[in-house]
Amino acid sequence: MKIKSLPIAAFAGLMALASCGGDPSTNLDTPTSGTINISVDESFQPIIESEINTFEGIYKYANINANYKPEGQVVKDLLNDSTKIAVLSRELTEEENAYFKKNNRVARVTKIAIDAVALITNRQNPDSLLTMDELKRIFNGEAKSWKDLDEDSPLGDITIVFDNNNSSTARYVRDSLIAGNKLPANTFASNSHKALVDYVEENKNALGVIGVNWVSDFDDSTVVGFLNRIKVLGISEDPAPVTTEAYYQPYQAYIAQEAYPLRRFLYIISTEGRTGLGTGFASYVASDKGQRLILKSGLVPATMPVRVISLD
């Protein structure tokens, strides 16, 4: 059986089970104390680091060791029980849930944010707007050159770059844009998000695919540094846009309004068999304080509204 979410109202009750101070003399972790290892999709390192630092600042006996990995490895960690807490941009499959059930384990799923996949290009690339139809042509291998999209483009063959072979962004593109088919031969993987940005900055024909978390928090010096080196593309679901107003960049408001098309959800999945530190952390992230950190990061909180103010 899969429990879809952990109610935020339970957060106060969970926290009441242990004091803010905790009891360092016991090896059994509680919702606010102890030590655990968690596996996190590396696309979400900035926001999860922020959540952990804040949580540990509040609960001084809590120690959460996060291992940031490609999505495929995070799922393996959860299945082989080397971690009981995982942060992923997808829910478990029927086969994965069946595996847990067979092994008498229950996976509890807490939705914590609405995320997006961003597309980035070299700053010399004059093409800063693409339609969904054009994206599908690129990722199914039909459009191999920037000239296939715009015959007047001064650029050459497109090089598609992901952060990792087993990344969640690569899976998202396969599932959402090319119906599970293989990515084209002009697709490559870097070994980190920094390496991806470095490559796009240095290669004018590159098209990078990156989690929006790495280009959305304008208070993060790393994010600001990335944005000064590359361009973030605007995307339109209209196959024949008349004006540039039909294109949307992955800004928080456009993700919340569902105007930006490349959206996905972010989840904490727990297989803890009791109310431990992982459950306490998941409850904190889904609480008001944790959701405010997500709001600040540029993602869309899953459990609190986003105010959109018109400047017209």
Side-chain angles (χ1 to χ4, degrees), residues 46 120-123 193-202 210 212-232:
I120 60 175
T121 61
N122 185 278
R123 296 189 72 84
H193 290 84
K194 181 182 182 303
L196 188 158
V197 173
D198 289 344
Y199 184 89
V200 172
E201 180 186 28
E202 296 166 4
I210 193 169
V212 76
N213 192 203
W214 289 91
V215 293
S216 62
D217 187 349
F218 297 104
D219 292 326
D220 187 313
S221 59
T222 299
V223 169
V224 173
F226 283 172
L227 290 172
N228 288 334
R229 298 162 54 198
I230 48 86
K231 289 198 300 187
V232 179

mmCIF file of all heavy atoms in Angstrom, residues 46 120-123 193-202 210 212-232:
data_model
loop_
_atom_site.group_PDB
_atom_site.id
_atom_site.type_symbol
_atom_site.label_atom_id
_atom_site.label_comp_id
_atom_site.label_asym_id
_atom_site.label_seq_id
_atom_site.Cartn_x
_atom_site.Cartn_y
_atom_site.Cartn_z
ATOM 1 N N PRO A 46 20.678 22.396 -4.307
ATOM 2 C CA PRO A 46 20.600 23.717 -3.654
ATOM 3 C C PRO A 46 19.462 23.830 -2.636
ATOM 4 O O PRO A 46 19.674 24.273 -1.503
ATOM 5 C CB PRO A 46 20.404 24.680 -4.831
ATOM 6 C CG PRO A 46 21.030 23.984 -5.988
ATOM 7 C CD PRO A 46 20.702 22.532 -5.785
ATOM 8 N N ILE A 120 19.037 25.738 -21.500
ATOM 9 C CA ILE A 120 19.998 26.835 -21.538
ATOM 10 C C ILE A 120 20.851 26.755 -22.802
ATOM 11 O O ILE A 120 21.098 25.670 -23.330
ATOM 12 C CB ILE A 120 20.903 26.835 -20.285
ATOM 13 C CG1 ILE A 120 21.686 25.524 -20.173
ATOM 14 C CG2 ILE A 120 20.062 27.055 -19.024
ATOM 15 C CD1 ILE A 120 22.690 25.505 -19.021
ATOM 16 N N THR A 121 21.276 27.928 -23.274
ATOM 17 C CA THR A 121 22.137 27.986 -24.449
ATOM 18 C C THR A 121 23.284 28.955 -24.210
ATOM 19 O O THR A 121 23.290 29.734 -23.252
ATOM 20 C CB THR A 121 21.366 28.468 -25.699
ATOM 21 O OG1 THR A 121 20.858 29.792 -25.454
ATOM 22 C CG2 THR A 121 20.228 27.532 -26.054
ATOM 23 N N ASN A 122 24.237 28.908 -25.109
ATOM 24 C CA ASN A 122 25.351 29.845 -25.130
ATOM 25 C C ASN A 122 24.825 31.261 -25.352
ATOM 26 O O ASN A 122 23.838 31.465 -26.058
ATOM 27 C CB ASN A 122 26.307 29.438 -26.252
ATOM 28 C CG ASN A 122 27.561 30.272 -26.285
ATOM 29 O OD1 ASN A 122 27.566 31.371 -26.829
ATOM 30 N ND2 ASN A 122 28.632 29.737 -25.720
ATOM 31 N N ARG A 123 25.474 32.224 -24.758
ATOM 32 C CA ARG A 123 25.006 33.614 -24.883
ATOM 33 C C ARG A 123 25.120 34.147 -26.306
ATOM 34 O O ARG A 123 24.480 35.142 -26.654
ATOM 35 C CB ARG A 123 25.766 34.510 -23.903
ATOM 36 C CG ARG A 123 25.506 34.155 -22.435
ATOM 37 C CD ARG A 123 26.100 35.190 -21.494
ATOM 38 N NE ARG A 123 25.352 36.438 -21.529
ATOM 39 C CZ ARG A 123 24.251 36.684 -20.826
ATOM 40 N NH1 ARG A 123 23.744 35.754 -20.026
ATOM 41 N NH2 ARG A 123 23.650 37.849 -20.897
ATOM 42 N N HIS A 193 26.527 19.583 -12.626
ATOM 43 C CA HIS A 193 25.808 20.761 -13.131
ATOM 44 C C HIS A 193 26.781 21.877 -13.499
ATOM 45 O O HIS A 193 26.566 22.602 -14.476
ATOM 46 C CB HIS A 193 24.796 21.236 -12.094
ATOM 47 C CG HIS A 193 23.650 20.304 -11.921
ATOM 48 N ND1 HIS A 193 23.700 19.208 -11.105
ATOM 49 C CD2 HIS A 193 22.412 20.279 -12.503
ATOM 50 C CE1 HIS A 193 22.554 18.550 -11.171
ATOM 51 N NE2 HIS A 193 21.757 19.179 -12.001
ATOM 52 N N LYS A 194 27.838 22.026 -12.732
ATOM 53 C CA LYS A 194 28.846 23.042 -13.057
ATOM 54 C C LYS A 194 29.501 22.727 -14.396
ATOM 55 O O LYS A 194 29.694 23.639 -15.230
ATOM 56 C CB LYS A 194 29.906 23.116 -11.968
ATOM 57 C CG LYS A 194 30.982 24.171 -12.226
ATOM 58 C CD LYS A 194 32.034 24.181 -11.149
ATOM 59 C CE LYS A 194 33.072 25.280 -11.405
ATOM 60 N NZ LYS A 194 33.735 25.142 -12.730
ATOM 61 N N ALA A 195 29.832 21.453 -14.624
ATOM 62 C CA ALA A 195 30.442 21.069 -15.892
ATOM 63 C C ALA A 195 29.483 21.309 -17.053
ATOM 64 O O ALA A 195 29.909 21.697 -18.147
ATOM 65 C CB ALA A 195 30.859 19.601 -15.837
ATOM 66 N N LEU A 196 28.190 21.086 -16.821
ATOM 67 C CA LEU A 196 27.195 21.346 -17.858
ATOM 68 C C LEU A 196 27.182 22.827 -18.238
ATOM 69 O O LEU A 196 27.215 23.187 -19.416
ATOM 70 C CB LEU A 196 25.812 20.896 -17.373
ATOM 71 C CG LEU A 196 24.655 20.911 -18.384
ATOM 72 C CD1 LEU A 196 23.562 19.969 -17.919
ATOM 73 C CD2 LEU A 196 24.055 22.305 -18.553
ATOM 74 N N VAL A 197 27.134 23.689 -17.213
ATOM 75 C CA VAL A 197 27.126 25.134 -17.480
ATOM 76 C C VAL A 197 28.425 25.565 -18.151
ATOM 77 O O VAL A 197 28.414 26.380 -19.082
ATOM 78 C CB VAL A 197 26.892 25.915 -16.174
ATOM 79 C CG1 VAL A 197 27.056 27.421 -16.408
ATOM 80 C CG2 VAL A 197 25.498 25.626 -15.631
ATOM 81 N N ASP A 198 29.552 25.018 -17.709
ATOM 82 C CA ASP A 198 30.842 25.340 -18.333
ATOM 83 C C ASP A 198 30.819 24.989 -19.812
ATOM 84 O O ASP A 198 31.289 25.765 -20.660
ATOM 85 C CB ASP A 198 31.974 24.555 -17.654
ATOM 86 C CG ASP A 198 32.284 25.051 -16.247
ATOM 87 O OD1 ASP A 198 31.845 26.176 -15.900
ATOM 88 O OD2 ASP A 198 32.958 24.320 -15.502
ATOM 89 N N TYR A 199 30.266 23.815 -20.137
ATOM 90 C CA TYR A 199 30.246 23.375 -21.533
ATOM 91 C C TYR A 199 29.376 24.304 -22.380
ATOM 92 O O TYR A 199 29.759 24.695 -23.486
ATOM 93 C CB TYR A 199 29.734 21.935 -21.630
ATOM 94 C CG TYR A 199 29.794 21.393 -23.041
ATOM 95 C CD1 TYR A 199 30.936 20.748 -23.508
ATOM 96 C CD2 TYR A 199 28.719 21.552 -23.919
ATOM 97 C CE1 TYR A 199 31.016 20.280 -24.811
ATOM 98 C CE2 TYR A 199 28.782 21.081 -25.216
ATOM 99 C CZ TYR A 199 29.934 20.442 -25.662
ATOM 100 O OH TYR A 199 29.998 19.997 -26.963
ATOM 101 N N VAL A 200 28.193 24.624 -21.863
ATOM 102 C CA VAL A 200 27.291 25.494 -22.625
ATOM 103 C C VAL A 200 27.912 26.875 -22.821
ATOM 104 O O VAL A 200 27.799 27.474 -23.898
ATOM 105 C CB VAL A 200 25.926 25.608 -21.915
ATOM 106 C CG1 VAL A 200 25.046 26.656 -22.585
ATOM 107 C CG2 VAL A 200 25.217 24.258 -21.908
ATOM 108 N N GLU A 201 28.588 27.367 -21.805
ATOM 109 C CA GLU A 201 29.234 28.678 -21.911
ATOM 110 C C GLU A 201 30.320 28.671 -22.995
ATOM 111 O O GLU A 201 30.509 29.670 -23.696
ATOM 112 C CB GLU A 201 29.850 29.070 -20.581
ATOM 113 C CG GLU A 201 30.548 30.428 -20.611
ATOM 114 C CD GLU A 201 31.274 30.751 -19.316
ATOM 115 O OE1 GLU A 201 31.694 29.804 -18.616
ATOM 116 O OE2 GLU A 201 31.440 31.946 -19.014
ATOM 117 N N GLU A 202 31.009 27.560 -23.151
ATOM 118 C CA GLU A 202 32.164 27.489 -24.053
ATOM 119 C C GLU A 202 31.813 27.008 -25.456
ATOM 120 O O GLU A 202 32.649 27.092 -26.364
ATOM 121 C CB GLU A 202 33.224 26.563 -23.449
ATOM 122 C CG GLU A 202 33.796 27.088 -22.134
ATOM 123 C CD GLU A 202 34.569 26.026 -21.374
ATOM 124 O OE1 GLU A 202 34.726 24.901 -21.923
ATOM 125 O OE2 GLU A 202 35.011 26.302 -20.237
ATOM 126 N N ILE A 210 18.737 21.351 -17.690
ATOM 127 C CA ILE A 210 19.123 21.455 -16.287
ATOM 128 C C ILE A 210 17.888 21.676 -15.412
ATOM 129 O O ILE A 210 16.887 22.253 -15.878
ATOM 130 C CB ILE A 210 20.128 22.629 -16.114
ATOM 131 C CG1 ILE A 210 20.823 22.597 -14.753
ATOM 132 C CG2 ILE A 210 19.445 23.970 -16.358
ATOM 133 C CD1 ILE A 210 21.995 23.575 -14.652
ATOM 134 N N VAL A 212 15.554 23.484 -12.906
ATOM 135 C CA VAL A 212 15.394 24.928 -12.729
ATOM 136 C C VAL A 212 15.938 25.412 -11.384
ATOM 137 O O VAL A 212 16.283 26.583 -11.217
ATOM 138 C CB VAL A 212 13.906 25.327 -12.895
ATOM 139 C CG1 VAL A 212 13.086 24.958 -11.663
ATOM 140 C CG2 VAL A 212 13.768 26.820 -13.201
ATOM 141 N N ASN A 213 16.059 24.488 -10.422
ATOM 142 C CA ASN A 213 16.599 24.838 -9.112
ATOM 143 C C ASN A 213 17.988 25.464 -9.202
ATOM 144 O O ASN A 213 18.386 26.257 -8.345
ATOM 145 C CB ASN A 213 16.642 23.567 -8.253
ATOM 146 C CG ASN A 213 16.898 23.831 -6.797
ATOM 147 O OD1 ASN A 213 17.370 22.965 -6.071
ATOM 148 N ND2 ASN A 213 16.594 25.027 -6.334
ATOM 149 N N TRP A 214 18.721 25.133 -10.283
ATOM 150 C CA TRP A 214 20.081 25.650 -10.449
ATOM 151 C C TRP A 214 20.116 27.026 -11.112
ATOM 152 O O TRP A 214 21.192 27.638 -11.222
ATOM 153 C CB TRP A 214 20.903 24.665 -11.271
ATOM 154 C CG TRP A 214 21.225 23.417 -10.502
ATOM 155 C CD1 TRP A 214 20.490 22.260 -10.468
ATOM 156 C CD2 TRP A 214 22.330 23.197 -9.632
ATOM 157 N NE1 TRP A 214 21.077 21.339 -9.636
ATOM 158 C CE2 TRP A 214 22.215 21.881 -9.107
ATOM 159 C CE3 TRP A 214 23.427 23.983 -9.245
ATOM 160 C CZ2 TRP A 214 23.142 21.340 -8.222
ATOM 161 C CZ3 TRP A 214 24.354 23.440 -8.369
ATOM 162 C CH2 TRP A 214 24.204 22.132 -7.866
ATOM 163 N N VAL A 215 18.971 27.528 -11.570
ATOM 164 C CA VAL A 215 18.957 28.841 -12.233
ATOM 165 C C VAL A 215 17.804 29.720 -11.737
ATOM 166 O O VAL A 215 17.439 30.696 -12.392
ATOM 167 C CB VAL A 215 18.855 28.683 -13.781
ATOM 168 C CG1 VAL A 215 20.113 28.049 -14.348
ATOM 169 C CG2 VAL A 215 17.621 27.868 -14.179
ATOM 170 N N SER A 216 17.232 29.393 -10.566
ATOM 171 C CA SER A 216 16.024 30.101 -10.136
ATOM 172 C C SER A 216 16.175 30.955 -8.889
ATOM 173 O O SER A 216 15.376 31.867 -8.666
ATOM 174 C CB SER A 216 14.885 29.089 -9.904
ATOM 175 O OG SER A 216 15.227 28.173 -8.881
ATOM 176 N N ASP A 217 17.168 30.668 -8.039
ATOM 177 C CA ASP A 217 17.305 31.392 -6.773
ATOM 178 C C ASP A 217 18.271 32.551 -6.959
ATOM 179 O O ASP A 217 19.495 32.376 -6.931
ATOM 180 C CB ASP A 217 17.794 30.452 -5.675
ATOM 181 C CG ASP A 217 17.780 31.109 -4.296
ATOM 182 O OD1 ASP A 217 17.588 32.345 -4.226
ATOM 183 O OD2 ASP A 217 17.955 30.398 -3.286
ATOM 184 N N PHE A 218 17.725 33.756 -7.105
ATOM 185 C CA PHE A 218 18.555 34.919 -7.396
ATOM 186 C C PHE A 218 19.325 35.423 -6.178
ATOM 187 O O PHE A 218 20.133 36.342 -6.279
ATOM 188 C CB PHE A 218 17.690 36.040 -7.976
ATOM 189 C CG PHE A 218 17.042 35.680 -9.284
ATOM 190 C CD1 PHE A 218 15.693 35.363 -9.343
ATOM 191 C CD2 PHE A 218 17.784 35.608 -10.443
ATOM 192 C CE1 PHE A 218 15.094 35.005 -10.543
ATOM 193 C CE2 PHE A 218 17.207 35.251 -11.650
ATOM 194 C CZ PHE A 218 15.859 34.947 -11.699
ATOM 195 N N ASP A 219 19.074 34.822 -5.004
ATOM 196 C CA ASP A 219 19.851 35.154 -3.813
ATOM 197 C C ASP A 219 21.042 34.217 -3.633
ATOM 198 O O ASP A 219 21.846 34.402 -2.723
ATOM 199 C CB ASP A 219 18.962 35.073 -2.555
ATOM 200 C CG ASP A 219 17.901 36.166 -2.543
ATOM 201 O OD1 ASP A 219 18.186 37.263 -3.043
ATOM 202 O OD2 ASP A 219 16.795 35.908 -2.036
ATOM 203 N N ASP A 220 21.133 33.209 -4.495
ATOM 204 C CA ASP A 220 22.217 32.229 -4.420
ATOM 205 C C ASP A 220 23.339 32.671 -5.358
ATOM 206 O O ASP A 220 23.133 32.818 -6.560
ATOM 207 C CB ASP A 220 21.681 30.850 -4.821
ATOM 208 C CG ASP A 220 22.695 29.739 -4.608
ATOM 209 O OD1 ASP A 220 23.858 29.911 -5.006
ATOM 210 O OD2 ASP A 220 22.323 28.693 -4.050
ATOM 211 N N SER A 221 24.532 32.861 -4.821
ATOM 212 C CA SER A 221 25.652 33.363 -5.626
ATOM 213 C C SER A 221 26.020 32.399 -6.751
ATOM 214 O O SER A 221 26.428 32.829 -7.841
ATOM 215 C CB SER A 221 26.869 33.627 -4.737
ATOM 216 O OG SER A 221 27.280 32.439 -4.074
ATOM 217 N N THR A 222 25.881 31.095 -6.505
ATOM 218 C CA THR A 222 26.178 30.109 -7.545
ATOM 219 C C THR A 222 25.209 30.253 -8.709
ATOM 220 O O THR A 222 25.607 30.241 -9.879
ATOM 221 C CB THR A 222 26.099 28.680 -6.980
ATOM 222 O OG1 THR A 222 27.058 28.537 -5.934
ATOM 223 C CG2 THR A 222 26.389 27.648 -8.068
ATOM 224 N N VAL A 223 23.924 30.412 -8.389
ATOM 225 C CA VAL A 223 22.901 30.584 -9.423
ATOM 226 C C VAL A 223 23.151 31.860 -10.222
ATOM 227 O O VAL A 223 23.109 31.858 -11.461
ATOM 228 C CB VAL A 223 21.496 30.612 -8.797
ATOM 229 C CG1 VAL A 223 20.456 31.060 -9.824
ATOM 230 C CG2 VAL A 223 21.136 29.242 -8.238
ATOM 231 N N VAL A 224 23.417 32.947 -9.533
ATOM 232 C CA VAL A 224 23.668 34.219 -10.211
ATOM 233 C C VAL A 224 24.882 34.094 -11.122
ATOM 234 O O VAL A 224 24.890 34.600 -12.262
ATOM 235 C CB VAL A 224 23.868 35.351 -9.186
ATOM 236 C CG1 VAL A 224 24.298 36.637 -9.885
ATOM 237 C CG2 VAL A 224 22.580 35.582 -8.396
ATOM 238 N N GLY A 225 25.906 33.381 -10.647
ATOM 239 C CA GLY A 225 27.091 33.169 -11.474
ATOM 240 C C GLY A 225 26.763 32.393 -12.732
ATOM 241 O O GLY A 225 27.240 32.727 -13.828
ATOM 242 N N PHE A 226 25.924 31.359 -12.610
ATOM 243 C CA PHE A 226 25.509 30.590 -13.782
ATOM 244 C C PHE A 226 24.748 31.470 -14.770
ATOM 245 O O PHE A 226 24.991 31.433 -15.983
ATOM 246 C CB PHE A 226 24.604 29.429 -13.350
ATOM 247 C CG PHE A 226 25.337 28.256 -12.740
ATOM 248 C CD1 PHE A 226 24.630 27.220 -12.148
ATOM 249 C CD2 PHE A 226 26.719 28.182 -12.745
ATOM 250 C CE1 PHE A 226 25.288 26.136 -11.584
ATOM 251 C CE2 PHE A 226 27.393 27.110 -12.182
ATOM 252 C CZ PHE A 226 26.677 26.084 -11.605
ATOM 253 N N LEU A 227 23.810 32.268 -14.266
ATOM 254 C CA LEU A 227 22.954 33.081 -15.136
ATOM 255 C C LEU A 227 23.738 34.142 -15.892
ATOM 256 O O LEU A 227 23.313 34.572 -16.972
ATOM 257 C CB LEU A 227 21.848 33.736 -14.303
ATOM 258 C CG LEU A 227 20.774 32.790 -13.767
ATOM 259 C CD1 LEU A 227 19.852 33.516 -12.795
ATOM 260 C CD2 LEU A 227 19.971 32.175 -14.903
ATOM 261 N N ASN A 228 24.851 34.563 -15.354
ATOM 262 C CA ASN A 228 25.689 35.554 -16.031
ATOM 263 C C ASN A 228 26.483 34.945 -17.186
ATOM 264 O O ASN A 228 27.085 35.676 -17.967
ATOM 265 C CB ASN A 228 26.660 36.199 -15.041
ATOM 266 C CG ASN A 228 25.952 37.138 -14.073
ATOM 267 O OD1 ASN A 228 24.901 37.685 -14.397
ATOM 268 N ND2 ASN A 228 26.512 37.321 -12.893
ATOM 269 N N ARG A 229 26.442 33.611 -17.283
ATOM 270 C CA ARG A 229 27.285 32.930 -18.272
ATOM 271 C C ARG A 229 26.499 32.252 -19.386
ATOM 272 O O ARG A 229 27.075 31.878 -20.411
ATOM 273 C CB ARG A 229 28.147 31.888 -17.554
ATOM 274 C CG ARG A 229 29.100 32.508 -16.538
ATOM 275 C CD ARG A 229 29.622 31.480 -15.541
ATOM 276 N NE ARG A 229 30.213 30.334 -16.214
ATOM 277 C CZ ARG A 229 30.432 29.164 -15.623
ATOM 278 N NH1 ARG A 229 30.070 28.984 -14.362
ATOM 279 N NH2 ARG A 229 30.988 28.184 -16.300
ATOM 280 N N ILE A 230 25.197 32.080 -19.198
ATOM 281 C CA ILE A 230 24.378 31.366 -20.196
ATOM 282 C C ILE A 230 23.041 32.096 -20.384
ATOM 283 O O ILE A 230 22.764 33.093 -19.709
ATOM 284 C CB ILE A 230 24.123 29.898 -19.769
ATOM 285 C CG1 ILE A 230 23.645 29.802 -18.306
ATOM 286 C CG2 ILE A 230 25.399 29.085 -19.941
ATOM 287 C CD1 ILE A 230 22.207 29.946 -18.064
ATOM 288 N N LYS A 231 22.218 31.612 -21.316
ATOM 289 C CA LYS A 231 20.864 32.128 -21.496
ATOM 290 C C LYS A 231 19.851 31.041 -21.174
ATOM 291 O O LYS A 231 20.076 29.867 -21.494
ATOM 292 C CB LYS A 231 20.645 32.593 -22.947
ATOM 293 C CG LYS A 231 21.380 33.848 -23.333
ATOM 294 C CD LYS A 231 20.796 34.484 -24.590
ATOM 295 C CE LYS A 231 20.846 33.596 -25.798
ATOM 296 N NZ LYS A 231 20.421 34.308 -27.039
ATOM 297 N N VAL A 232 18.761 31.455 -20.538
ATOM 298 C CA VAL A 232 17.665 30.524 -20.257
ATOM 299 C C VAL A 232 16.576 30.746 -21.308
ATOM 300 O O VAL A 232 16.119 31.881 -21.497
ATOM 301 C CB VAL A 232 17.092 30.746 -18.844
ATOM 302 C CG1 VAL A 232 15.934 29.785 -18.585
ATOM 303 C CG2 VAL A 232 18.190 30.557 -17.796
#
